[in-house]
Amino acid sequence: MAGLAASPHKPRHKAKDTSNGSEPTSAVASPAPARSSSSSKPAYPLAALLWPARSSVSQWEILPLILMAVGLFRWAAGLWGFSGHQNPPMFGDYEAQRHWMEVTTQLPISQWYFHDLEWWGLDYPPLTAYHSWILGVIGGLIDKSWFTLHTSRGMEDASLKVFMRATVIVSEYLVYIPATVIFVRRLSKLQGVNTWTSSIALTAILMQPGTILIDHVHFQYNTVMLGLVLATMSSVLADRFMWSCVFFVLALGFKQMALYYAPAIFAYLLGVCLFPRINFPRFLGIALVTVLSFAVLLLPIFLGALYDTYRGIDARPDIHGFKAPLPIFTEYSYLVNYKAWYYPIVQQLAQIIHRVFPFARGLFEDKVANFWCTLNVVIKLRQYPSELLQRASLLLTLASISPACLLIFLKPRKDLLPIALAITAWGFFLFSFQVHEKSVLLPLMPMTVLLAGKQGLSKNNRAWVGFANLLGVWTMFPLLQRVDLRIPYIVLSLLWAYLLALPPISLSVYKQDGHTTWSGFATATLHSAFYLAMAVWHVAEAFISPPHGKPDLWVVVNVGIGTVGFGICYLWCLWTLVVETGIFDMTKNGKRKTKTQ
């Protein structure tokens, strides 16, 4: 921030003005301050914790300490319960992940996406299935009873819990954490941020409460997908566009929610192929690598289906005497030759698409802080045809993501990719079809990694990134409290707020040094109103029973407040992108001050 002193450390790398549209000509800026204006003490607790390392010039002096510390919090968080703990008959996400390990290790590959769909049928893309297979094989070597088909359902053995918790941490340390470290290092090097400041940003990113609560407490593997997206952005920072395509296809192959980022990724890669000059070989290479990556991803499923057919194994053993119609384009199933050699491939592809994109479930299933659930409070949407709601969802989603895609296409600067991804992810979360509470992690991730930028740890950035994260975790509270996870929710949220000096622990991010701006005052007022509403809601939810006939009153209020807050976060991200691109910033001679690269 303008009013704070810059760090005395020299940048490790001076960014150059390149011709490939990758970075701004003025990329070297003073690192975002982690010290008070007096330069005598750290400006917030996280900086104080890393204060002894401020003279370090190598990340390897402090990185092991950071990784051990964040790992300790992850393992400690896993001591709590999990989704579905002691909650029959279906249990929860923990059982779903365990069951997929069971299905992939105990059944032929052709039956993975068909087996007993009423009991946590596999509904993620193939890379999740391969991941589950690897973990299931390892777990089976330890104790076969963990993954015995049918008889192990709902198992909550203490040793199994340790194994499952360990798989999340190991998966994260193999994918998400290395990707985050490399991304932060490359971004800080690009923008002239010193080692100490980038270490603070790295710690803040890895201590993000939402990812710890959902993956290590509630139980998921979202960070694998998020890590692959970070690897995509990191490859873009290094101008390795082909590798960025590979990593993003892998992200899509792990969880279809990575589609939230796809429009911005596509727009950026198309932009670097056209600006400042047309680069057809790059375009052809990107297209070819993307197609080949998808082919390699699906190849084991297709080859396995062909081999099972050769062995006489039916993908649908539950249906006898006839061939079931394809789950998508059912009315055209008669056009497919069931005896053709390629039929098993068509069948598998149709089933994967059907399971991964559940349009038949309706616009939404549970109460989530997005536009449709909020609108449903006023207008009961279920009275409208599903096709109409799908079209409305598509149109509003396209409208919300188009500005960011257009800007990142016209101004393909690699340092702007995270904010563009945040915008498209917010657009999908607010307006798309079948959104879940946990999906808020997708817009939060690219917003949070902004902390590693040239002004990432400034008061304004910390205020907005902190607001988005704390609001996001707050909207997930109804999900977490169902399985008695109030304590880890409170501890991890307040810990992150304390480390970055955020409300409700501190209001220092809204105190300007020696001057007050209208924007700063407006931000402080706006955020304070939401923080106050969140606090009042917690008190009301804890001590006041909802009126008779409205048992979900507090959840509905949570949804409404969260939707408005997320909409404001979307607008802030969009405004930040507009300002950073300089698209409306003209000099007197009519030329833009900021050049595309």
Side-chain angles (χ1 to χ4, degrees):
M1 251 180 160
L4 299 179
S7 169
H9 302 290
K10 294 181 180 180
R12 293 176 296 168
H13 172 75
K14 184 176 179 62
K16 298 178 181 180
D17 183 13
T18 61
S19 59
N20 64 356
S22 301
E23 62 193 66
T25 56
S26 59
V28 178
S30 298
R35 304 192 303 173
S36 64
S37 57
S38 64
S39 299
S40 61
K41 60 181 181 179
Y44 45 90
L46 183 55
L49 289 173
L50 298 177
W51 189 253
R54 65 190 182 281
S55 60
S56 173
V57 295
S58 172
Q59 67 167 343
W60 299 110
E61 293 180 349
I62 190 172
L63 182 59
L65 297 176
I66 294 174
L67 298 186
M68 285 189 289
V70 300
L72 177 63
F73 277 100
R74 281 159 166 74
W75 189 257
L79 297 175
W80 288 84
F82 45 79
S83 172
H85 180 55
Q86 297 179 352
N87 186 27
M90 290 298 293
F91 300 93
D93 287 347
Y94 176 91
E95 168 60 19
Q97 301 291 343
R98 188 212 61 80
H99 178 61
W100 294 345
M101 298 177 196
E102 174 182 270
V103 166
T104 53
T105 55
Q106 302 299 316
L107 292 174
I109 193 170
S110 61
Q111 296 179 5
W112 287 2
Y113 283 93
F114 292 92
H115 176 74
D116 197 0
L117 301 182
E118 297 300 318
W119 184 270
W120 299 115
L122 186 58
D123 57 2
Y124 282 123
L127 190 56
T128 285
Y130 307 150
H131 177 255
S132 296
W133 177 78
I134 292 172
L135 299 182
V137 169
I138 296 173
L141 295 175
I142 300 172
D143 191 336
K144 292 183 179 179
S145 66
W146 291 347
F147 308 114
T148 304
L149 203 62
H150 301 298
T151 61
S152 59
R153 290 183 176 181
M155 179 179 289
E156 295 182 346
D157 179 72
S159 299
L160 174 60
K161 178 184 176 182
V162 172
F163 171 77
M164 296 291 283
R165 293 297 195 192
T167 61
V168 179
I169 289 184
V170 171
S171 298
E172 189 165 307
Y173 269 75
L174 289 176
V175 181
Y176 177 73
I177 288 182
T180 305
V181 171
I182 295 171
F183 174 82
V184 169
R185 184 182 182 186
R186 285 178 176 169
L187 184 62
S188 63
K189 188 176 182 180
L190 173 70
Q191 299 193 334
V193 179
N194 64 57
T195 300
W196 179 56
T197 305
S198 66
S199 296
I200 296 172
L202 174 64
T203 308
I205 294 167
L206 294 181
M207 286 299 294
Q208 185 184 9
T211 55
I212 298 177
L213 283 167
I214 293 301
D215 277 26
H216 298 277
V217 186
H218 189 267
F219 203 87
Q220 286 273 312
Y221 295 96
N222 293 293
T223 49
V224 176
M225 179 269 291
L226 295 175
L228 292 169
V229 175
L230 276 167
T232 302
M233 292 194 290
S234 185
S235 298
V236 166
L237 292 180
D239 295 325
R240 297 171 181 171
F241 302 115
M242 310 307 171
W243 275 111
S244 70
C245 296
V246 173
F247 285 124
F248 192 66
V249 168
L250 291 176
L252 287 169
F254 195 83
K255 286 202 172 186
Q256 62 270 32
M257 291 186 300
L259 283 169
Y260 285 21
Y261 303 125
I265 296 287
F266 173 79
Y268 174 82
L269 291 177
L270 183 61
V272 296
C273 293
L274 298 179
F275 303 108
R277 63 187 64 86
I278 296 176
N279 190 331
F280 184 73
R282 177 182 290 174
F283 175 81
L284 186 61
I286 288 173
L288 183 61
V289 168
T290 301
V291 172
L292 289 176
S293 298
F294 274 114
V296 171
L297 182 67
L298 293 167
L299 189 61
I301 295 282
F302 293 161
L303 291 180
L306 291 173
Y307 182 60
D308 285 348
T309 301
Y310 171 76
R311 294 191 297 164
I313 296 175
D314 193 347
R316 296 292 307 271
D318 56 317
I319 296 179
H320 305 284
F322 66 95
K323 288 291 184 180
L326 297 175
I328 60 174
F329 305 116
T330 304
E331 62 273 23
Y332 300 107
S333 294
Y334 70 92
L335 297 175
V336 180
N337 182 1
Y338 296 125
K339 297 182 179 180
W341 69 268
Y342 58 80
Y343 175 74
I345 295 178
V346 175
Q347 183 187 40
Q348 291 292 324
L349 184 60
Q351 183 69 4
I352 291 173
I353 294 173
H354 171 66
R355 294 295 298 160
V356 168
F357 299 104
F359 290 109
R361 297 182 188 175
L363 188 62
F364 60 88
E365 284 183 285
D366 208 348
K367 295 178 177 64
V368 183
N370 77 344
F371 174 78
W372 300 112
C373 291
T374 303
L375 181 63
N376 190 65
V377 176
V378 182
I379 304 173
K380 299 305 176 184
L381 298 176
R382 298 189 189 278
Q383 64 181 316
Y384 295 100
S386 178
E387 294 77 10
L388 177 63
L389 295 176
Q390 289 179 22
R391 292 170 186 167
S393 174
L394 176 63
L395 289 175
L396 285 180
T397 303
L398 290 176
S400 65
I401 68 175
S402 293
C405 293
L406 181 61
L407 287 172
I408 200 67
F409 168 70
L410 296 175
K411 295 279 190 175
R413 281 171 36 191
K414 56 191 177 185
D415 61 309
L416 298 182
L417 187 57
I419 194 70
L421 294 183
I423 296 168
T424 58
W426 279 126
F428 271 93
F429 181 84
L430 287 169
F431 300 109
S432 66
F433 207 85
Q434 274 290 314
V435 173
H436 296 276
E437 304 98 319
K438 297 168 291 230
S439 301
V440 75
L441 295 178
L442 278 84
L444 289 181
M445 185 275 285
M447 266 196 83
T448 306
V449 299
L450 295 177
L451 294 173
K454 57 187 176 183
Q455 292 297 324
L457 292 170
S458 66
K459 289 187 174 182
N460 185 62
N461 263 32
R462 275 191 291 132
W464 278 101
V465 171
F467 171 71
N469 274 278
L470 293 175
L471 179 65
V473 172
W474 178 76
T475 61
M476 289 189 286
F477 178 78
L479 172 72
L480 298 171
Q481 75 163 346
R482 293 175 198 167
V483 284
D484 297 324
L485 300 179
R486 297 176 182 85
I487 299 299
Y489 159 81
I490 294 171
V491 171
L492 291 171
S493 299
L494 293 183
L495 174 64
W496 204 69
Y498 165 75
L499 291 174
L500 294 179
L502 300 169
I505 304 299
S506 172
L507 298 176
S508 62
V509 289
Y510 302 114
K511 297 177 182 178
Q512 305 300 319
D513 292 341
H515 67 281
T516 302
T517 62
W518 281 107
S519 61
F521 177 77
T523 298
T525 303
L526 182 64
H527 289 184
S528 297
F530 275 91
Y531 283 124
L532 179 60
M534 291 156 62
V536 170
W537 181 90
H538 269 303
V539 174
E541 185 272 337
F543 298 105
I544 303 176
S545 299
H548 181 71
K550 295 184 179 179
D552 295 330
L553 174 63
W554 299 127
V555 178
V556 170
V557 172
N558 182 291
V559 165
I561 295 173
T563 301
V564 176
F566 291 153
I568 292 171
C569 291
Y570 163 81
L571 293 175
W572 179 81
C573 290
L574 182 58
W575 174 250
T576 300
L577 180 63
V578 169
V579 171
E580 288 294 325
T581 56
I583 200 76
F584 300 123
D585 189 12
M586 302 289 186
T587 60
K588 292 182 179 179
N589 60 6
K591 295 182 179 179
R592 293 187 179 96
K593 292 180 181 178
T594 306
K595 299 178 181 179
T596 54
Q597 304 166 24

